């Protein structure tokens, strides 16, 4: 009877000792592996675009035939801009998602409310202006800088329309001191340069 009790006690101690030893060994190995520097630890992770960026071709810009449905800016209460650069009233959106080009108020590549610094007062006009073919060089420069800076947001956009949607949203370039706009009348920017602090570019 005493021998069986002693045997149980010893077994229990051995099991506890094994568990403690394994746990302690795991902790030591984990600490050592975390302390080892990896070969590329000093280099920032480079974001690689998963698929090539798509610009609209000149043929697409010049086409007047609606072959495919359009994507559009969706949220505007009054104005909507589609991925062909047309701005129209919400009532003039077709079932395809495209602006009705037959409407006299529909305008393509409209830069109304936009200034020389590429900042606009109205989001939809910012996108429409940004989609103009002559803005490609400006946007290519911006994309190059965004890639070098590993900007996740702009590395994930797939085409010209997505880039303009993202670029024209209010971003850190449009604000100062994190709580006020540099230019409250032109806060949607698609260019590289932020609105000036001194208001010199205001009209």
């Amino acid at each position: 009877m005493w021998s069986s009790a002693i045997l149980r006690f010893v077994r229990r101690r051995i099991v506890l000792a094994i568990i403690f030893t394994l746990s302690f060994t795991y902790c030591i190995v984990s600490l050592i592996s975390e302390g080892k520097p990896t070969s590329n630890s000093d280099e920032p992770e480079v974001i690689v675009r998963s698929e090539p960026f798509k610009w609209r071709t000149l043929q697409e810009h010049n086409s007047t035939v609606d072959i495919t449905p359009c994507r559009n800016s969706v949220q505007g209460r009054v104005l909507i801009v589609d991925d062909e650069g047309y701005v129209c009233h919400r009532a003039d959106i077709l079932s395809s998602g495209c602006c009705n080009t037959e409407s006299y108020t529909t305008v393509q590549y409209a830069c109304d409310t936009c200034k020389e610094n590429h900042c606009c007062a109205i989001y939809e006009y910012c996108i429409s202006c940004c989609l103009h073919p002559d803005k490609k060089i400006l946007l290519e420069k911006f994309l190059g800088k965004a890639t070098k800076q590993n900007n996740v947001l702009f590395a994930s956009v797939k085409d010209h329309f997505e880039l303009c949607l993202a670029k024209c949203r209010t971003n850190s370039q449009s604000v100062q001191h994190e709580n006020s706009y540099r230019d409250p009348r032109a806060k949607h920017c698609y260019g590289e340069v932020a609105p000036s602090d001194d208001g010199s570019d205001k009209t």
Side-chain angles (χ1 to χ4, degrees), residues 44-56:
E45 184 182 347
V46 177
I47 300 167
V48 180
R49 190 176 290 283
S50 58
E51 50 190 78
F53 189 86
K54 294 176 186 171
W55 296 101
R56 290 188 71 208

Side-chain angles (χ1 to χ4, degrees), residues 47-188:
I47 300 167
V48 180
R49 190 176 290 283
S50 58
E51 50 190 78
F53 189 86
K54 294 176 186 171
W55 296 101
R56 290 188 71 208
T57 64
L58 282 173
Q59 183 180 3
E60 288 172 320
H61 279 290
N62 296 327
S63 174
T64 56
V65 181
D66 290 330
I67 303 171
T68 56
C70 298
R71 293 168 293 164
N72 61 54
S73 55
V74 180
Q75 76 266 29
R77 290 195 301 175
V78 178
L79 297 173
I80 297 284
V81 57
D82 66 24
D83 58 7
E84 294 181 0
Y86 286 101
V87 177
C88 61
H89 290 281
R90 178 171 277 284
D92 292 326
I93 285 287
L94 302 172
S95 59
S96 63
C98 302
C99 283
N100 181 1
T101 56
E102 305 278 321
S103 171
Y104 73 94
T105 57
T106 298
V107 186
Q108 190 177 30
Y109 307 132
C111 294
D112 301 25
T113 79
C114 298
K115 299 182 178 183
E116 288 183 12
N117 64 359
H118 312 297
C119 292
C120 314
I122 297 175
Y123 178 58
E124 288 76 17
Y125 286 123
C126 177
I127 297 167
S128 181
C129 197
C130 175
L131 284 169
H132 195 289
D134 68 8
K135 304 300 187 294
K136 181 179 175 181
I137 294 172
L138 173 72
L139 294 170
E140 279 179 328
K141 282 184 188 176
F142 171 78
L143 273 179
K145 288 183 180 178
T147 301
K148 286 179 185 175
Q149 294 167 356
N150 278 352
N151 188 310
V152 178
L153 171 63
F154 293 108
S156 65
V157 295
K158 297 174 184 173
D159 58 29
H160 195 167
F161 181 64
E162 286 186 8
L163 174 60
C164 291
L165 280 176
K167 195 77 181 77
C168 287
R169 285 192 182 100
T170 304
N171 56 52
S172 59
Q173 282 188 320
S174 301
V175 296
Q176 59 184 349
H177 313 305
E178 299 181 357
N179 61 4
S180 61
Y181 292 115
R182 294 177 189 271
D183 184 350
R185 291 177 293 175
K187 58 191 177 186
H188 303 288

Side-chain angles (χ1 to χ4, degrees), residues 7 13 29 36 49 56 59 76 111 115 171 193 196 203:
L7 191 60
R13 292 288 180 182
V29 170
K36 284 182 181 177
R49 190 176 290 283
R56 290 188 71 208
Q59 183 180 3
C111 294
K115 299 182 178 183
N171 56 52
V193 183
S196 67
T203 55

